[in-house]
Structures are given as structure tokens and as C-alpha cells.
Amino acid sequence: MKTIRTTRAMAAWSERLRREGVTIGFVPTMGALHDGHRSLIRTARLRCDALVVSIFVNPSQFSPTEDLSTYPRPITSDRALCREEGVDVCFEPIAQTLYPQGFQTTVTVPALARRWEGAARPHHFTGVATVVTKLFGIVRPHLALFGQKDYQQAVLVRQLAEDLNLGVAIQMRPTVRERDGLAMSSRNIYLDADERRIAPLLSQALRAGQEMIEGGMSNVAAIEQVMRQTIEQAPTIHVEYLAVCDPNSLEPLSVVANRAILLGAVRLGSIRLIDNRPAKIPGRKSRTTQ
Ligand code: PAF
């Protein structure tokens, strides 16, 4: 496996392979790789001839009060995981290369970024959209994979790739969970023992909502009430949002006519957890979006 640090070397590597007709798969990450990333890497490995993983803790998607300086950076074990999974290139740019002095262009996807994580973390999605667009421009992948765990991010990236004709197919892969249902995330290591014990309540709440819809319930107020009650079993977990939304626009629904995505965010002490579950009213046909 090669480690590439400069945008010029990365672009040259991709350009050479593209000229030879090689298909390039890409998994953009901020490192602290876990089994969720491993599953994206494995899928990309199977679908493409060559595979690039980027490891870059992108400063522009963190607000000044967030955890940029303490974000986990276990680069040795990250590289080992990439090597184990047959990654060809680990692209590890430094911030000044991606954002040199004078850098001023940003990418926004306003409607998809307006609610949920976008409302809780202003500028977050502009940072994500900008860095992902830059990474696509440098790596020039044919296929890029994103985890469903960050559903809003994946939908937004799919939209920007289409809107800007970036020539990359975006694929969303299912969330990988711990045995108790907690969605894998690089930030789970911040949870102390008590927090870790109650953290699965978020996935349990979303699962309860999913089961209601799959049982035919279309009344969103009733579904949201059950999800909230599930979480509120533990007084130390605070709901930021629990919503039943259209899976494409992410706008909240009041009645589930067909497909929905259930989105949730909670706060446990200083830690925010997000998760989601797709659901579908049984027996209705629709365009598949996930
Ligand atoms: O999901 C992430 O790890 C990041 O938001 C991404 C897509 C790598 C952009 O920095």
C-alpha cells in the first residue's frame, strides 16, 4: 500500500490509472477507522480495480466549540486496517495542501443541509460538501462509498455529485452496529461506561418507530411519541431531534404514505450521537432510493 500526501501525486496516480482503463473506488474518511469503514472499504474493493481511502480530519466541518483538536487520530492502526483490506492508496493530505492561503471557494447544498445536523451544526455541511468535492476532484474516483450512519451527509453528497456533474457514482452502505444496536462511530470512544450502557436507546427508539411503520402505522405524531418515550427511559439522555422524514428531501412528514427515514440525535453529557433507520409502509410500491 502506498501513502500519498500531496494533491499533485494523488491526482497523477489517478490520472495514470484512468488512462489505463482502471476503475477507482474511493472511501473518504477522517480516520479512527472501525468496522463501518471496513465494510465500505470491502465493498469498494469488490466493485473497483483500484482503491483509495483518504484520511483527513477536515477542519472546515468542525465549529470552534467542537472536538477538532481532540478528534482521535490513530494513524498506525488506520493504516494497518487499510493494508489488511487491500487498499492501494492511503491519501493523507495535510490541511495546508487542501486549504492553501487564499482558498475561498465553498460548496453548499442549501435545502438538504437546512435541517437536522445542519441546524445543530451550522457550517458543518458546507465543510463536508467542500472537502468532498475537492477530494473527488483530486482522486477522480468512479465510485465513492458513504455509510448510512451519516444519512444526511450521504444524501447531500449524492445531490452535489449529480448537480455538479462530478462523474462519480455515490453508493450508501448500511450502518454497521455493535451487538446491542449502537451504530459504530469514531466518537463512541468518548462514551464513559454509564453513557455506553444507555447509548443503544437511540437505536432502540428508531427501531421501535421503524417497526410501527412496518406494521402499517402512518401517523407520525404517534410514532414520534413512542420513539421519544423509549429514549426518555433514561433521564441522562436528551433528545435533540427524532423525526420521520421523506428519504430524499429529508423534509419532515406528518403522515407516512410510503417510504420514510427515521432520523435521531441525542446528547449524552457532552457527546452527541446520531442514528437513523429506513422504513416502509407494507404493500406500497415506490421508487427505491436507498
Ligand atoms: O464522514 C466523514 O468521515 C467525513 O464527513 C468525510 C465524508 C470524510 C468528509 O470529511
Side-chain angles (χ1 to χ4, degrees):
M1 183 181 79
K2 238 171 137 72
T3 298
I4 297 185
R5 291 185 163 280
T6 67
T7 54
R8 185 185 291 220
M10 185 68 247
W13 184 90
S14 291
E15 189 50 40
R16 182 172 57 76
L17 266 64
R18 286 181 80 96
R19 268 204 308 269
E20 290 167 5
V22 171
T23 56
I24 301 173
F26 180 41
V27 180
T29 82
M30 298 208 299
L33 304 181
H34 50 68
D35 282 351
H37 296 110
R38 194 189 288 276
S39 129
L40 301 177
I41 292 170
R42 283 191 181 166
T43 304
R45 182 67 285 169
L46 288 173
R47 305 217 166 141
C48 298
D49 303 322
L51 174 53
V52 179
V53 170
S54 62
I55 297 182
F56 177 63
V57 183
N58 173 37
S60 74
Q61 68 190 74
F62 289 76
S63 77
T65 57
E66 289 181 335
D67 56 344
L68 173 62
S69 62
T70 55
Y71 195 84
R73 290 167 168 84
I75 192 64
T76 309
S77 56
D78 285 349
R79 285 189 193 136
L81 185 149
C82 290
R83 211 170 287 118
E84 248 168 63
E85 297 300 333
V87 170
D88 296 295
V89 170
C90 208
F91 179 40
E92 299 173 19
I94 56 165
Q96 290 93 316
T97 350
L98 282 191
Y99 301 112
Q101 212 172 5
F103 180 87
Q104 51 179 297
T105 304
T106 55
V107 179
T108 54
V109 188
L112 285 172
R114 190 157 64 93
R115 296 182 189 273
W116 321 123
E117 287 310 284
R121 306 177 67 190
H123 314 299
H124 171 69
F125 283 125
T126 299
V128 170
T130 303
V131 81
V132 167
T133 306
K134 284 176 67 66
L135 290 168
F136 285 170
I138 299 161
V139 176
R140 306 263 329 276
H142 297 83
L143 172 70
L145 288 103
F146 290 80
Q148 185 179 321
K149 154 79 176 26
D150 295 299
Y151 186 86
Q152 188 172 8
Q153 166 174 282
V155 172
L156 182 144
V157 168
R158 192 172 62 193
Q159 182 76 40
L160 82 82
E162 204 175 303
D163 288 350
L164 300 178
N165 307 96
L166 298 183
V168 51
I170 306 298
Q171 209 178 85
M172 196 186 317
R173 299 290 302 160
T175 303
V176 178
R177 297 178 182 279
E178 304 286 355
R179 291 164 76 96
D180 59 9
L182 177 66
M184 287 197 182
S185 160
S186 305
R187 289 186 169 104
N188 288 352
I189 56 160
Y190 296 150
L191 297 166
D192 69 22
D194 278 345
E195 291 163 345
R196 176 64 190 82
R197 192 173 42 75
I198 57 175
L201 281 175
L202 174 57
S203 80
Q204 285 164 23
L206 294 164
R207 179 107 187 94
Q210 180 186 43
E211 281 170 359
M212 287 174 81
I213 296 173
E214 287 173 354
M217 166 62 77
S218 59
N219 179 333
V220 166
I223 298 163
E224 286 179 357
Q225 191 188 10
V226 167
M227 293 199 292
R228 189 169 279 274
Q229 282 165 351
T230 308
I231 303 256
E232 286 172 353
Q233 287 171 50
T236 52
I237 183 164
H238 300 287
V239 174
E240 284 201 357
Y241 59 79
L242 281 167
V244 180
C245 303
D246 178 278
N248 296 314
S249 69
L250 306 186
E251 289 299 308
L253 299 171
S254 51
V255 172
V256 185
N258 198 323
R259 285 184 184 275
I261 185 80
L262 287 70
L263 302 174
V266 295
R267 191 169 276 285
L268 267 166
S270 60
I271 299 152
R272 283 183 86 245
L273 298 177
I274 62 168
D275 199 351
N276 63 81
R277 299 263 186 181
K280 183 180 177 308
I281 292 277
R284 308 242 176 112
K285 288 220 172 75
S286 73
R287 220 163 36 97
T288 303
T289 55
Q290 296 165 54

